[in-house]
Amino acid sequence: MSLAKNPVLDKGDLNPALHVLTESISRALDCERCSIWFYSETKTSIQCLDLFILSENSHNSGMELLQKDYPRYFEVLKEERLIVADDAVHDDSTKEFAPNYLVPLNILSMLDAPILMDGKLLGIICNEHVGKRHAWTLEEQTFVGSLADMIPRIFQAVERKKAEEELRKANERLEYTVRTRTRIILSQKEELEHQIKMAKKIQGALLPATLPKSKYLDLQYLYEPMMELGGDFVDFLYDEENYTLGFFICDVSGHGVSAALLASMVKMSYSNWGSFIQNPEFGVVHIYESLAGKFAGHFITAILGTLNVKTGEGRMTNAGHCPPVLLRRGKKPQVFNQTGALLTDLIPLKLETVPFHLDPGDRLVLYTDGIIEAFNSNREMFSEERLLSNLDSSENETLDGLCQKVFSEVNRFMGVAHEGFSDDLTLLALERK
């Protein structure tokens, strides 16, 4: 209980926390040596993070044990159970240490407890009696096993402190950037406008320059940022050899420079799209992991999909994005409502992947929320209902005509006096020929 309440364990300082733990165990068990060992990255050795020697009241670290030198001991460790060696020199699990370690140091009994985190074996707590054999009681075994469970708490505190420090530094950098940018705006407005125009060109270069060409496929998109730079993004990749189309749409929260930067980072995060074009869920996970720690308060909604344009079989993975709409000739629009969770550092990753099929003539429409959340002068939203009505009445339109019609209807709904869009607008439509 004393250890559980000790604030040192949660401060995020590794060495002091380990010192407290090894000393507490050693004194509680009247055990001469208590040490904490962790596996190397390759799992071929364990390294001592802290060793407390009771009679000397001292700590040291850095020792390493190689698997090739002690194969039986490492084999037992993999079983993730206590090693209870009352007679360590002759015990099958520990006798390998006798010539070079146990006998020279007069260690006669050992009790090792596994350290687990998230179901994975990270290392051990090792307790060693010197000078006389010791029969480890069930209470002692339980005690050491319980304290082994505190080790992940220490490392979580270290990681939390590290993350907080990284966040603090990131905020400091951001604040410095904002202050610097403000001075530039005030003193060099003309230069800033020029740079924004250049950034717009760069961002525009990230958008698809040409549309995929296939006798089985027609595809169109329209993109209208609220400002010079936008947070919406759309992309395609066509594997002509396998008749596979990859399609992607995302919406970064916010507008302007910061949203555009994050949208550009999204583009960079899946530069190897071709290697997972048929696995959209893997692709979204890859994007999320690439951006982890870089959201800076933003969140992203996205859909990554794949479609065999020859067979019509497809799959979509949705991360909190507006539900796609399937248009079949002579039928009402079908909405895919499985939307998953937003991509953000603040909540765990939770995706929804749904299969779909396009018959020849079927269309799939994806869009960002700037369309359905456009307001008119009466503060009414355009709404999903109006969008579905427009799509339903566009059966005889070409895909380009469909996109243009939706944009025109949004503009008409907002009224001639509106001062511009309140969000970026993006629409992506594809049809299986």
Side-chain angles (χ1 to χ4, degrees):
M1 183 62 68
S2 173
L3 274 173
K5 293 181 178 180
N6 195 319
V8 174
L9 301 186
D10 296 311
K11 283 187 175 180
D13 297 322
L14 180 60
N15 288 335
L18 294 181
H19 289 180
V20 166
L21 199 60
T22 53
E23 287 185 31
S24 298
I25 297 173
S26 181
R27 298 188 194 283
L29 299 181
D30 192 24
C31 181
E32 173 64 8
R33 298 163 63 90
C34 178
S35 54
I36 296 175
W37 301 71
F38 262 51
Y39 273 105
S40 63
E41 290 186 4
T42 59
K43 298 287 187 181
T44 58
S45 67
I46 54 175
Q47 299 167 340
C48 181
L49 300 186
D50 183 59
L51 164 65
F52 177 69
I53 301 176
L54 182 61
S55 62
E56 300 175 2
N57 195 32
S58 66
H59 294 266
N60 58 64
S61 61
M63 298 79 77
E64 183 175 30
L65 300 177
L66 302 178
Q67 180 177 358
K68 65 182 180 65
D69 297 331
Y70 309 102
R72 174 56 186 163
Y73 180 71
F74 276 79
E75 182 180 343
V76 175
L77 286 184
K78 290 180 181 178
E79 298 175 7
E80 300 181 2
R81 60 178 175 82
L82 285 170
I83 296 177
V84 183
D86 297 342
D87 182 1
V89 175
H90 299 99
D91 190 280
D92 181 60
S93 301
T94 57
K95 64 184 180 182
E96 294 170 322
F97 296 114
N100 300 322
Y101 182 67
L102 300 179
V103 173
L105 293 176
N106 199 21
I107 297 171
L108 299 182
S109 300
M110 292 176 62
L111 173 61
D112 291 1
I115 300 170
L116 302 172
M117 181 184 288
D118 297 330
K120 296 181 180 178
L121 179 64
L122 299 185
I124 59 164
I125 293 181
C126 180
N127 305 277
E128 300 163 337
H129 266 289
V130 173
K132 61 179 181 179
R133 293 181 185 175
H134 179 78
W136 301 102
T137 67
L138 179 60
E139 289 81 4
E140 289 173 324
Q141 297 174 34
T142 304
F143 175 71
V144 174
S146 298
L147 297 193
D149 293 337
M150 288 189 178
I151 300 292
R153 169 179 159 186
I154 293 174
F155 277 84
Q156 287 166 356
V158 171
E159 289 300 314
R160 182 169 62 249
K161 182 178 180 181
K162 180 181 177 182
E164 289 172 351
E165 180 64 16
E166 290 177 351
L167 180 60
R168 183 188 65 79
K169 291 180 179 179
N171 286 334
E172 288 178 354
R173 290 194 297 268
L174 181 59
E175 289 173 3
Y176 173 78
T177 300
V178 170
R179 289 194 300 269
T180 302
R181 184 64 65 187
T182 300
R183 289 195 296 269
I184 293 174
I185 291 173
L186 294 175
S187 63
Q188 300 180 3
K189 183 174 182 295
E190 183 178 346
E191 174 63 19
L192 179 60
E193 290 175 348
H194 171 71
Q195 295 298 328
I196 290 177
K197 289 180 180 178
M198 294 297 295
K200 182 180 181 180
K201 289 183 179 179
I202 294 173
Q203 187 182 30
L206 297 177
L207 293 168
T210 58
L211 300 176
K213 295 185 182 299
S214 169
K215 64 180 180 179
Y216 299 104
L217 173 72
D218 188 14
L219 188 149
Q220 294 290 333
Y221 79 94
L222 280 179
Y223 167 69
E224 184 69 38
M226 170 189 170
M227 304 169 68
E228 291 285 335
L229 300 171
D232 285 4
F233 190 74
V234 63
D235 204 1
F236 328 107
L237 181 66
Y238 184 54
D239 181 352
E240 187 173 359
E241 182 177 350
N242 295 305
Y243 302 101
T244 302
L245 171 72
F247 55 92
F248 178 72
I249 189 169
C250 80
D251 184 359
V252 179
S253 63
H255 318 288
V257 175
S258 62
L261 286 174
L262 191 51
S264 299
M265 292 167 63
V266 171
K267 167 67 175 180
M268 296 299 102
S269 69
Y270 62 92
S271 55
N272 60 336
W273 191 0
S275 64
F276 54 80
I277 188 172
Q278 297 186 25
N279 190 345
E281 183 163 340
F282 173 86
V284 177
V285 172
H286 180 68
I287 293 171
Y288 175 78
E289 292 176 346
S290 299
L291 296 176
K294 305 180 182 70
F295 288 91
H298 286 282
F299 61 82
I300 298 172
T301 68
I303 293 176
L304 186 63
T306 183
L307 172 66
N308 185 310
V309 299
K310 191 172 183 180
T311 66
E313 297 300 323
R315 296 172 66 230
M316 289 183 290
T317 296
N318 192 324
H321 199 76
C322 301
V325 182
L326 176 62
L327 303 176
R328 300 187 187 277
R329 290 193 173 275
K331 296 183 179 180
K332 289 295 181 182
Q334 176 187 340
V335 178
F336 295 90
N337 285 312
Q338 297 96 322
T339 57
L342 307 168
L343 300 182
T344 172
D345 286 329
L346 303 178
I347 58 176
L349 184 64
K350 182 180 180 182
L351 306 175
E352 286 285 354
T353 300
V354 295
F356 66 94
H357 178 82
L358 296 185
D359 291 325
D362 287 352
R363 294 174 170 181
L364 185 67
V365 178
L366 294 83
Y367 60 94
T368 58
D369 60 11
I371 292 177
I372 60 174
E373 294 179 2
F375 286 91
N376 63 14
S377 57
N378 296 323
R379 302 305 297 165
E380 296 175 315
M381 284 202 310
F382 187 73
S383 76
E384 181 183 286
E385 183 180 356
R386 285 188 175 88
L387 174 62
L388 294 178
S389 177
N390 273 272
L391 295 176
D392 192 26
S393 63
S394 302
E395 182 174 300
N396 296 322
E397 300 279 356
T398 63
L399 281 191
D400 182 58
L402 180 149
C403 294
Q404 296 290 348
K405 179 179 178 181
V406 170
F407 269 54
S408 296
E409 286 299 313
V410 172
N411 268 298
R412 185 189 63 80
F413 173 79
M414 295 176 69
V416 294
H418 77 81
E419 298 178 353
F421 299 119
S422 58
D423 197 358
D424 307 321
L425 275 67
T426 304
L427 188 71
L428 165 63
L430 59 92
E431 177 181 342
R432 184 178 170 217
K433 293 184 180 178

